[in-house]
Amino acid sequence: MSNEWGRHFQLSIFGESHGPAIGIVLSGLPAGFALDLDAIAFELSRRAPGRSNLSTPRREEDFPEILSGFFEGKTTGAPLCAILRNRDTRSRDYSLLRDLPRPGHADYTAQMRYCGFQDYRGGGHFSGRITAPLVFAGAVAKQILRAQGIEISARIASIRGIHDAPLDPLRLSDEARAALCARELPTIDPEAAEKMREAILCAKREGDSVGGVIECWATGVPAGTGNPFFDSLESDLAHVLFSIPAIKGVEFGLGFEAAERLGSEVNDAFCLKDGEIACETNFSGGIQGGIANGMPLLFRVAVRPTPSIAKKQKTVSLSRKEETEISVPGRHDPCIVPRAVPVVEAACAIVLYDQLKEVLSCRI
Amino acid sequence: MSNEWGRHFQLSIFGESHGPAIGIVLSGLPAGFALDLDAIAFELSRRAPGRSNLSTPRREEDFPEILSGFFEGKTTGAPLCAILRNRDTRSRDYSLLRDLPRPGHADYTAQMRYCGFQDYRGGGHFSGRITAPLVFAGAVAKQILRAQGIEISARIASIRGIHDAPLDPLRLSDEARAALCARELPTIDPEAAEKMREAILCAKREGDSVGGVIECWATGVPAGTGNPFFDSLESDLAHVLFSIPAIKGVEFGLGFEAAERLGSEVNDAFCLKDGEIACETNFSGGIQGGIANGMPLLFRVAVRPTPSIAKKQKTVSLSRKEETEISVPGRHDPCIVPRAVPVVEAACAIVLYDQLKEVLSCRI
Amino acid sequence: MSNEWGRHFQLSIFGESHGPAIGIVLSGLPAGFALDLDAIAFELSRRAPGRSNLSTPRREEDFPEILSGFFEGKTTGAPLCAILRNRDTRSRDYSLLRDLPRPGHADYTAQMRYCGFQDYRGGGHFSGRITAPLVFAGAVAKQILRAQGIEISARIASIRGIHDAPLDPLRLSDEARAALCARELPTIDPEAAEKMREAILCAKREGDSVGGVIECWATGVPAGTGNPFFDSLESDLAHVLFSIPAIKGVEFGLGFEAAERLGSEVNDAFCLKDGEIACETNFSGGIQGGIANGMPLLFRVAVRPTPSIAKKQKTVSLSRKEETEISVPGRHDPCIVPRAVPVVEAACAIVLYDQLKEVLSCRI
Amino acid sequence: MSNEWGRHFQLSIFGESHGPAIGIVLSGLPAGFALDLDAIAFELSRRAPGRSNLSTPRREEDFPEILSGFFEGKTTGAPLCAILRNRDTRSRDYSLLRDLPRPGHADYTAQMRYCGFQDYRGGGHFSGRITAPLVFAGAVAKQILRAQGIEISARIASIRGIHDAPLDPLRLSDEARAALCARELPTIDPEAAEKMREAILCAKREGDSVGGVIECWATGVPAGTGNPFFDSLESDLAHVLFSIPAIKGVEFGLGFEAAERLGSEVNDAFCLKDGEIACETNFSGGIQGGIANGMPLLFRVAVRPTPSIAKKQKTVSLSRKEETEISVPGRHDPCIVPRAVPVVEAACAIVLYDQLKEVLSCRI
């Protein structure tokens, strides 16, 4: 369903960039879980724009109002709805664009899907802003997963061909992980971050934009979590990940590189570690047959460059059916990748929570 | 849901490799559609093993028995169930493996998910054989889509680093497309196919296996087909694609390559072609904001090398909790990629049909 | 799913009686439908309390805020979220009841389901107030159905053994139907209404309450709307109807009376009316095999007496595990039936709209 | 979805009365549950026709073939598909009826829904025979519920105005319950059964049919099982119950009678029994706010008289658009009620199992 996802942890998302509010309804939460609102606010702040000269100066006050399902500091078990009011929206910036679809944006496809009745201001329901409720949902799921011993992190793996250092999730200390998510450009290697910053600012100066690759991992996922076929961990993760605007690729473990190798090179050999069954390598990204094998779950997503750029581009006037040019006005991110990092983590948390509940329900 | 997929075209899949039968229930079909059984048989034959020395000699007689929903040569509109009996299964080959999980396989994760009660013979419910019902469903969907002017094709884009020639889906003639799907190794460039064959046979001789990349495209998809967010075309396609065993990556249009480029390089500029709005390029794979833009829908999937190999590999005895070695006995494909081509097409057809029905339902 | 319903017209409902707000997210709406907000306000006013001495004096200002999916007076096609703020709630009335479950209420079962973490104030998520968002959804659906020639109405069929006059939906003029829904006690026979009023006030004087039966019908439903088995019209209608608090019975056409009769007495004979196929009678309530036959769809629901009564009743202290007595304080309706009439109509509208979309989607 | 039901225990049903087979796919079963096939066969035999002169002499060999999900006597956790071949079908009986819709049957509505392409033989997908797979699913669910201390039973409460004796589920011994389900006409009072038999045979002699009311109850359902609103126990139970052909009414506890009474008469007062909270009465049928209160869950369904009767009835020729008469040929039950008893129990078991899994999944 278009705005709904989840069988056990159910999300219903709504909102348009310049309408009164955006929000989400969460269902399937346990009763009596004490929500850490500061932790939620922190996750939302990681996604929020305006934190630095790397992102759009549009400011959002992304502290949600919880309308239901939350009482005396705890979840009630009933559906929890949280909304974020849209403010500082400058609708005027967009009014001229109604007729000129921006290349790379959903303006034209929205026009075709909704016959011209879509709220076109600021991308409407297609705006990246709609990922804020997803981050809210993910922040809730993360807290529940943490109580089960599951931790989710992500980093920027590359931007414009600049790669971060290799990473073994099992060797990352809690402190290092905490430090990672506090960084403006979350990488392991600070020098890589510096070079990425330069590449982003270089693109910004030229009225252009860059994309990048985000790597996300989860530790502590119990072996046996997941499902074969249509509800494989890969299927569910990719489903939610590809709902994030600008994501054009998802790969697990070695991913596309595995396609070039020999079977003997990519099969993860089983071994004993401290008497427990483990894998010597993690080329499969912790998933076999759609089910977690106990190794860190690991995947990467490709984020395309922000389509909104100041540079002149060719487009067509929808009303006049005439070719013309456009230079997208307004404020926009030269690189959406850093702000997408917490969104990718949120997607991972949402899926893992749903899958954990599924496994639990199968005990009867 | 684990074995169910689809909101408008609903699939419920079942079966284990060495049980009595595998099959699928299709719901949401129109009444009165005349099914071309030969076309279905052809699609199934493309996936079937034993066609050449590139695949396992296990023979399947993959002509399904249709149990319901089909009357006097036409769909009745009621659920259509089709089953394929399992024959020529040689269960003995697998009995010794109950204790030794094969690296890269789902043996160990299935053990953890199902507490040892899974049908372990031949991979059970995790067997690639379960994709045969998916091909059946796809073959039905393809016929319905064709009647709507939509054609789906796929080719091997690369195997072991050997790449096929570049392809523009809009310039491929109907004859070339038909020829493509009749080939053992469906590529545009016959020389690339020859080199791929050598690479596969080379791996086979060494008791090893290779993977590859499949590219799939659909022409004739009306602009406006699809949805924002959770039911984006990318989300739905990736969901079904990642349910296919051995697929570890999915990318749309430029995919991961887009992450390295500038926005000005990857935005698809709008133009007029014969008076109609089109894009000059197709870097987005025909999808913006989760919705088709009228250009060919195009994506690639990474297929990992078949995990079953004759080469000795390290594993662990589950009963003795002891490290040991395994050489997977029995018949197996040195390269699953050619047989996966029709499965990928089927996944594409299933999703497009569901999405077309969704758009139609939104007219009231 | 607990708070979600619908495959084509999807609802996600949320809220607690004394929390910040209640609301609903609607998905699957067409783009460009001009909503008549006055008509929505009218439907909500029919359900609102405080209109007369027959209902609780608690006043609600049930004009919803639409947060999304609505732009320039029309639906955008994106999810539409509407919320109603909770005001005039007097939480103090309920604080003493935390320990004493009210007989006939969900206090005790909520306690068991949510381990004591439910928002217990005013019934929380179990409050009849949660039906206001359902009426909102129904008011939207009604407008869309009306544009398709489908009209939905309901009346009070009986209260405390006092029956309204018999009714043939096909002979009710548009004016009579409009008049019906404007009445405080919507009956065909004004004398029956008068007697019902007396029965209600009599119960009120004694600190007691009464229930009743509501009959609802829809004209203009095209023959062929509906589905066999799990999505039969009866299944879907009963599903949504039984989610309305206080409804304990649903019957279609003759319903329970049919169980006493002979087949030859209850089979609806086919005939020709103006050259079209019709039924001579409508004992089946316009549904055969789960599918509309073109006759008026007709069903009745049993509404139990409001459980909140001033009379002393036996209950148990949850904390002390001790039998005691309770006289439910606060304001409550002596009879919820009149306010339930628009809720029942809303349920009918929601289901019919979903089913119409289903039939449409099956055209491909 | 038309042929699918369930969120945690998922069913996908298929088949037509005179096609090759009918069947069902069950998903969400635990792994390692030892199925008692004899108990399943017993349940199917209770529904099977031809057991006495009260039902159609058509014989079914309703022992299902399990195609998947079952290995070495236990569930594997993978989807379980079971099919029943159609035999002894005498398609010729029905061929003349293609043009003459039988009053009370789904012939005409199927024609409108499926544009004449439905398998019309023997009612096709609308045949009561499709309930056999439901009984299979229910028999599996019953075994799992029994292991959780939940027992489900049903009886004929009335036929043609002849009522069985009153029943308190909590006072029915295990032996009495076992005896009940072995009876041809399962009633508490043998004299009532005798009078019912006479009424049935009397209708049979006149080429007519009778309906009746079935009462079903479940003991041992833990307080707290269920959900508010859309997934209330009443909603889910009614959903599945109304998918059974011929059921036209469902009521819980006092049901329609509650609509006539005062609140003080129907509120179930809380009390202590053996130190545990219980209700003094069970007018609500064990459900408050959609959630079980620990008392026996209890409901009744109205079964209309079998529409197939030998008596002449008015109908219309679809091809000639002309009024005519029909006397339904072939074998048919004068009363479907006894055979519907195990189907109603199955529906109850299916829903309770799904809801138990839901509650379990909410523990995280």
Side-chain angles (χ1 to χ4, degrees):
Chain A
M1 307 169 195
S2 182
N3 76 317
E4 296 181 352
W5 184 86
R7 188 147 61 108
H8 302 276
F9 180 43
Q10 302 151 286
L11 318 180
S12 176
I13 207 162
F14 58 87
E16 280 125 336
S17 175
H18 289 56
I22 59 174
I24 196 161
V25 186
L26 310 182
S27 184
L29 290 172
F33 190 87
L35 288 179
D36 180 341
L37 298 183
D38 288 341
I40 294 174
F42 174 67
E43 293 293 324
L44 287 163
S45 76
R46 293 173 68 201
R47 197 214 68 88
R51 292 195 304 164
S52 78
N53 60 353
L54 297 186
S55 72
T56 162
R58 170 178 172 177
R59 293 206 60 84
E60 298 171 355
E61 291 173 40
D62 273 339
F63 201 82
E65 184 188 10
I66 300 181
L67 298 181
S68 64
F70 187 62
F71 180 51
E72 299 179 339
K74 297 198 173 101
T75 54
T76 64
L80 190 157
C81 178
I83 62 170
L84 294 154
R85 293 276 168 186
N86 291 321
R87 296 191 186 85
D88 183 22
T89 49
R90 302 200 199 171
S91 291
R92 251 159 306 160
D93 280 351
Y94 297 94
S95 53
L96 293 171
L97 298 176
R98 192 169 197 172
D99 187 45
L100 302 180
R102 295 167 295 176
H105 266 285
D107 298 344
Y108 173 64
T109 54
Q111 173 80 16
M112 297 306 286
R113 176 72 171 81
Y114 298 115
C115 313
F117 295 106
Q118 71 279 9
D119 182 349
Y120 58 86
R121 299 169 300 167
H125 187 53
F126 295 84
S127 166
R129 176 158 166 75
I130 314 304
T131 58
L134 203 71
V135 170
F136 175 85
V140 170
K142 265 186 172 183
Q143 297 182 24
I144 297 172
L145 292 174
R146 181 165 296 143
Q148 305 287 323
I150 298 171
E151 292 285 350
I152 294 165
S153 305
R155 62 161 176 159
I156 300 179
S158 76
I159 279 183
R160 189 100 176 103
I162 303 151
H163 289 78
D164 190 20
L167 164 74
D168 179 348
L170 290 178
R171 296 194 182 169
L172 196 70
S173 69
D174 285 359
E175 297 72 38
R177 204 182 52 230
L180 193 61
C181 71
R183 272 180 213 135
E184 192 187 11
L185 290 172
T187 60
I188 301 297
D189 175 7
E191 282 185 42
E194 204 41 55
K195 285 181 196 160
M196 290 173 183
R197 177 188 314 277
E198 281 162 31
I200 296 170
L201 292 174
C202 170
K204 188 182 185 184
R205 279 189 300 272
E206 297 182 17
D208 215 323
S209 64
V210 294
V213 172
I214 295 169
E215 187 173 73
C216 181
W217 60 95
T219 56
V221 182
T225 306
N227 280 291
F229 234 79
F230 291 129
D231 273 358
S232 72
L233 279 177
E234 291 109 326
S235 287
D236 274 13
L237 283 164
H239 191 127
V240 179
L241 289 165
F242 274 121
S243 68
I244 304 170
I247 288 193
K248 297 300 275 187
V250 170
E251 61 179 8
F252 294 85
L254 272 187
F256 278 88
E257 196 185 323
E260 313 263 307
R261 302 250 199 116
L262 291 171
S264 59
E265 292 170 342
V266 305
N267 281 348
D268 293 310
F270 291 105
C271 62
L272 291 174
K273 280 186 188 162
D274 306 326
E276 295 303 312
I277 292 162
C279 291
E280 294 198 327
T281 51
N282 191 19
F283 297 136
S284 70
I287 307 172
Q288 271 136 2
I291 296 173
N293 65 7
M295 297 294 287
L297 199 147
L298 189 144
F299 60 89
R300 275 176 304 282
V301 302
V303 184
R304 55 152 291 158
T306 332
S308 289
I309 55 176
K311 268 196 178 170
K312 270 202 177 143
Q313 300 173 85
K314 284 183 64 175
T315 187
V316 167
S317 157
L318 295 179
S319 60
R320 286 171 291 134
K321 280 221 170 178
E322 197 175 277
E323 296 191 349
T324 178
E325 285 190 330
I326 186 171
S327 164
V328 182
R331 306 153 297 177
H332 24 72
D333 294 277
C335 180
I336 203 78
V337 178
R339 292 177 57 204
V341 169
V343 185
V344 167
E345 291 177 20
C348 182
I350 286 162
V351 168
L352 285 181
Y353 179 39
D354 188 272
Q355 289 270 9
L356 272 192
K357 284 168 64 89
E358 158 83 9
V359 171
L360 193 64
S361 80
C362 286
R363 297 242 173 108
I364 305 181
Chain B
M1 306 167 195
S2 181
N3 76 316
E4 295 181 351
W5 184 87
R7 186 146 62 107
H8 302 277
F9 180 42
Q10 303 152 286
L11 318 181
S12 176
I13 206 163
F14 59 87
E16 281 126 335
S17 175
H18 288 56
I22 60 175
I24 197 160
V25 185
L26 310 182
S27 184
L29 290 172
F33 191 87
L35 288 180
D36 180 342
L37 298 183
D38 288 340
I40 293 174
F42 174 66
E43 293 294 324
L44 287 164
S45 75
R46 293 172 69 202
R47 197 213 67 89
R51 292 196 304 165
S52 78
N53 59 352
L54 297 186
S55 71
T56 161
R58 170 177 172 178
R59 293 203 61 84
E60 299 170 355
E61 289 173 40
D62 274 339
F63 202 82
E65 183 189 10
I66 300 181
L67 298 181
S68 64
F70 187 65
F71 179 52
E72 299 180 340
K74 297 197 175 103
T75 55
T76 64
L80 189 158
C81 178
I83 62 171
L84 293 153
R85 294 275 167 186
N86 291 321
R87 296 192 186 85
D88 183 21
T89 48
R90 299 198 202 173
S91 291
R92 252 159 304 162
D93 280 350
Y94 297 93
S95 53
L96 292 170
L97 298 176
R98 192 168 198 174
D99 187 45
L100 302 179
R102 294 166 295 175
H105 266 285
D107 298 343
Y108 174 64
T109 54
Q111 174 79 14
M112 297 306 288
R113 175 73 171 81
Y114 298 116
C115 313
F117 295 106
Q118 72 279 8
D119 182 349
Y120 59 87
R121 298 168 299 167
H125 188 53
F126 295 83
S127 166
R129 176 155 166 77
I130 314 304
T131 58
L134 203 70
V135 170
F136 175 85
V140 170
K142 265 186 171 182
Q143 296 183 25
I144 298 173
L145 292 173
R146 180 164 296 144
Q148 304 288 324
I150 298 172
E151 291 285 350
I152 294 165
S153 305
R155 61 160 177 160
I156 300 179
S158 75
I159 280 183
R160 191 105 175 98
I162 303 151
H163 289 77
D164 190 22
L167 163 74
D168 179 348
L170 291 177
R171 295 194 182 168
L172 196 71
S173 68
D174 286 358
E175 296 72 37
R177 204 182 52 231
L180 194 59
C181 70
R183 271 180 213 135
E184 192 187 12
L185 290 172
T187 60
I188 301 298
D189 176 6
E191 281 185 41
E194 202 43 54
K195 285 182 195 160
M196 291 173 183
R197 176 189 313 277
E198 281 162 31
I200 295 169
L201 292 175
C202 171
K204 186 182 184 182
R205 278 190 300 271
E206 298 182 16
D208 216 324
S209 64
V210 295
V213 172
I214 295 169
E215 187 172 73
C216 181
W217 61 93
T219 56
V221 181
T225 306
N227 279 291
F229 234 77
F230 292 129
D231 274 359
S232 71
L233 279 178
E234 291 109 325
S235 286
D236 273 13
L237 282 163
H239 191 125
V240 179
L241 289 165
F242 275 121
S243 68
I244 305 170
I247 287 192
K248 298 301 276 188
V250 170
E251 61 179 9
F252 294 86
L254 272 187
F256 279 87
E257 196 184 323
E260 314 262 307
R261 303 250 198 116
L262 292 170
S264 59
E265 293 170 343
V266 305
N267 280 347
D268 293 311
F270 291 105
C271 63
L272 292 174
K273 280 186 187 161
D274 306 326
E276 295 303 312
I277 291 162
C279 291
E280 292 197 328
T281 50
N282 191 20
F283 297 136
S284 70
I287 306 173
Q288 272 136 2
I291 298 173
N293 66 6
M295 299 291 288
L297 199 146
L298 188 143
F299 60 89
R300 274 176 305 281
V301 302
V303 183
R304 55 152 292 160
T306 330
S308 290
I309 55 176
K311 268 197 177 168
K312 269 203 180 145
Q313 300 174 84
K314 283 184 65 177
T315 188
V316 168
S317 157
L318 295 178
S319 60
R320 287 172 290 134
K321 280 220 170 181
E322 197 176 278
E323 297 191 348
T324 179
E325 286 191 327
I326 187 171
S327 164
V328 182
R331 307 152 295 176
H332 24 73
D333 294 278
C335 181
I336 204 78
V337 178
R339 292 178 56 203
V341 168
V343 185
V344 167
E345 291 178 19
C348 182
I350 287 163
V351 168
L352 285 180
Y353 179 39
D354 188 272
Q355 290 269 10
L356 272 192
K357 283 167 65 88
E358 158 84 10
V359 170
L360 193 64
S361 80
C362 286
R363 297 241 173 108
I364 305 181
Chain C
M1 307 172 194
S2 180
N3 75 317
E4 296 182 350
W5 184 87
R7 189 147 61 107
H8 301 277
F9 180 43
Q10 303 151 285
L11 318 180
S12 176
I13 207 162
F14 58 87
E16 280 125 335
S17 175
H18 288 57
I22 59 174
I24 197 161
V25 185
L26 311 182
S27 185
L29 291 171
F33 191 87
L35 287 180
D36 180 342
L37 298 183
D38 289 340
I40 293 174
F42 175 66
E43 293 293 325
L44 286 164
S45 75
R46 293 173 68 201
R47 195 212 70 88
R51 291 197 303 166
S52 78
N53 60 353
L54 297 187
S55 71
T56 163
R58 171 178 173 177
R59 293 204 61 83
E60 299 171 355
E61 292 173 39
D62 272 340
F63 201 82
E65 184 189 9
I66 300 181
L67 298 181
S68 64
F70 187 64
F71 180 51
E72 299 179 339
K74 297 198 174 100
T75 56
T76 64
L80 189 157
C81 178
I83 62 171
L84 294 154
R85 293 277 168 186
N86 292 321
R87 294 190 188 86
D88 183 21
T89 49
R90 301 200 199 169
S91 292
R92 250 160 307 161
D93 280 351
Y94 298 94
S95 54
L96 293 171
L97 298 177
R98 192 170 198 171
D99 188 45
L100 302 180
R102 296 167 293 176
H105 266 285
D107 298 344
Y108 174 65
T109 54
Q111 174 80 14
M112 297 306 287
R113 176 72 171 81
Y114 298 117
C115 314
F117 296 105
Q118 72 279 8
D119 182 350
Y120 59 86
R121 299 168 299 166
H125 187 52
F126 295 84
S127 165
R129 176 155 167 76
I130 314 304
T131 57
L134 203 70
V135 170
F136 175 85
V140 170
K142 264 186 172 181
Q143 297 182 25
I144 298 174
L145 292 174
R146 181 165 295 144
Q148 305 288 323
I150 298 172
E151 292 285 350
I152 294 165
S153 305
R155 61 159 177 160
I156 300 179
S158 75
I159 279 183
R160 191 104 175 99
I162 303 150
H163 289 77
D164 190 21
L167 164 75
D168 179 348
L170 291 177
R171 294 193 183 170
L172 196 71
S173 69
D174 285 358
E175 297 72 37
R177 204 182 53 232
L180 193 60
C181 71
R183 271 179 214 138
E184 193 187 11
L185 290 173
T187 60
I188 300 299
D189 175 6
E191 281 184 43
E194 204 41 57
K195 286 182 196 159
M196 290 173 184
R197 177 189 313 277
E198 281 161 32
I200 296 170
L201 292 175
C202 169
K204 188 182 183 182
R205 279 189 299 271
E206 298 181 17
D208 215 324
S209 64
V210 294
V213 172
I214 295 169
E215 187 172 73
C216 180
W217 62 93
T219 56
V221 181
T225 305
N227 279 291
F229 234 77
F230 291 130
D231 274 358
S232 72
L233 279 177
E234 291 109 325
S235 286
D236 273 14
L237 283 164
H239 191 126
V240 179
L241 290 165
F242 274 121
S243 68
I244 305 171
I247 288 192
K248 297 302 275 187
V250 171
E251 61 178 8
F252 294 86
L254 272 188
F256 278 88
E257 195 184 323
E260 315 263 305
R261 303 251 198 115
L262 292 171
S264 59
E265 293 169 342
V266 304
N267 280 348
D268 293 311
F270 291 105
C271 63
L272 291 175
K273 282 188 188 160
D274 306 326
E276 294 304 312
I277 292 161
C279 291
E280 293 198 328
T281 51
N282 191 18
F283 297 135
S284 70
I287 307 173
Q288 271 137 1
I291 298 172
N293 66 6
M295 298 294 287
L297 200 145
L298 188 142
F299 60 90
R300 274 175 306 281
V301 303
V303 184
R304 54 153 290 158
T306 330
S308 290
I309 54 176
K311 269 198 176 165
K312 270 203 181 144
Q313 301 174 82
K314 283 184 63 177
T315 187
V316 167
S317 157
L318 295 179
S319 60
R320 287 172 288 134
K321 279 221 168 178
E322 197 176 277
E323 297 191 347
T324 179
E325 286 191 326
I326 186 170
S327 163
V328 182
R331 305 153 298 177
H332 23 73
D333 294 279
C335 181
I336 203 77
V337 179
R339 292 176 58 203
V341 169
V343 185
V344 167
E345 291 178 20
C348 182
I350 287 163
V351 169
L352 285 181
Y353 179 39
D354 188 273
Q355 289 270 10
L356 273 191
K357 284 167 65 87
E358 159 82 10
V359 171
L360 194 64
S361 81
C362 286
R363 298 241 173 109
I364 304 181
Chain D
M1 307 169 194
S2 181
N3 75 317
E4 295 182 352
W5 184 87
R7 187 147 62 107
H8 302 277
F9 180 44
Q10 303 151 287
L11 318 180
S12 177
I13 207 162
F14 58 86
E16 281 127 335
S17 175
H18 289 57
I22 59 175
I24 196 161
V25 185
L26 311 182
S27 185
L29 291 172
F33 191 86
L35 288 179
D36 180 343
L37 298 183
D38 289 340
I40 294 173
F42 174 66
E43 293 294 324
L44 287 164
S45 75
R46 293 173 67 201
R47 196 213 68 87
R51 292 196 304 165
S52 78
N53 59 352
L54 298 185
S55 71
T56 161
R58 171 178 172 177
R59 292 205 62 83
E60 298 171 354
E61 290 172 40
D62 272 338
F63 201 81
E65 184 188 10
I66 300 181
L67 297 181
S68 64
F70 187 63
F71 179 50
E72 299 179 342
K74 297 196 174 104
T75 55
T76 64
L80 189 158
C81 178
I83 62 171
L84 293 154
R85 293 277 167 185
N86 292 321
R87 295 191 187 86
D88 184 20
T89 49
R90 301 200 201 172
S91 291
R92 250 158 307 161
D93 280 352
Y94 298 93
S95 53
L96 293 171
L97 299 176
R98 191 168 198 172
D99 187 45
L100 302 180
R102 294 167 294 175
H105 266 286
D107 298 345
Y108 174 65
T109 54
Q111 173 81 14
M112 296 306 286
R113 175 72 171 81
Y114 298 116
C115 313
F117 295 106
Q118 72 278 9
D119 182 347
Y120 59 86
R121 298 168 300 167
H125 188 52
F126 294 84
S127 165
R129 176 156 166 77
I130 313 304
T131 58
L134 203 71
V135 169
F136 175 85
V140 170
K142 265 186 171 182
Q143 298 183 23
I144 298 173
L145 292 174
R146 181 164 296 145
Q148 304 288 325
I150 298 171
E151 292 285 351
I152 294 164
S153 305
R155 63 161 176 159
I156 299 179
S158 75
I159 280 183
R160 191 101 175 102
I162 303 151
H163 289 77
D164 190 19
L167 164 74
D168 179 349
L170 291 177
R171 295 194 182 168
L172 195 70
S173 68
D174 286 357
E175 297 71 38
R177 204 182 54 231
L180 194 59
C181 72
R183 269 179 216 138
E184 193 187 12
L185 290 172
T187 60
I188 301 298
D189 175 7
E191 281 184 41
E194 203 41 53
K195 285 182 194 158
M196 290 173 183
R197 177 189 313 275
E198 281 162 31
I200 296 170
L201 292 175
C202 170
K204 188 182 182 182
R205 279 190 299 270
E206 298 182 16
D208 215 324
S209 63
V210 294
V213 173
I214 295 169
E215 187 173 72
C216 180
W217 61 94
T219 56
V221 181
T225 306
N227 280 291
F229 234 79
F230 292 129
D231 274 357
S232 72
L233 279 177
E234 291 110 324
S235 287
D236 274 13
L237 282 164
H239 192 125
V240 179
L241 289 165
F242 274 121
S243 67
I244 304 170
I247 288 193
K248 298 301 275 188
V250 170
E251 61 179 7
F252 294 86
L254 272 187
F256 278 88
E257 195 184 323
E260 313 263 307
R261 303 252 198 114
L262 292 171
S264 60
E265 292 169 342
V266 304
N267 280 349
D268 293 310
F270 291 105
C271 63
L272 292 175
K273 280 187 189 161
D274 306 326
E276 295 303 313
I277 291 162
C279 292
E280 291 198 329
T281 50
N282 192 19
F283 297 135
S284 70
I287 307 173
Q288 272 137 2
I291 297 173
N293 66 6
M295 298 293 289
L297 200 147
L298 189 144
F299 60 89
R300 274 176 304 283
V301 302
V303 183
R304 55 153 289 159
T306 331
S308 289
I309 55 176
K311 268 195 176 168
K312 268 200 180 148
Q313 301 174 84
K314 283 183 64 177
T315 188
V316 167
S317 157
L318 296 179
S319 60
R320 286 171 291 133
K321 282 221 169 178
E322 198 175 278
E323 297 191 349
T324 177
E325 286 189 330
I326 186 172
S327 164
V328 182
R331 305 153 297 175
H332 24 71
D333 293 278
C335 180
I336 204 79
V337 178
R339 293 177 56 203
V341 168
V343 185
V344 167
E345 291 178 21
C348 182
I350 287 163
V351 169
L352 285 180
Y353 179 40
D354 188 272
Q355 289 270 10
L356 273 191
K357 284 166 66 88
E358 159 84 9
V359 170
L360 193 65
S361 81
C362 286
R363 298 241 173 108
I364 306 182

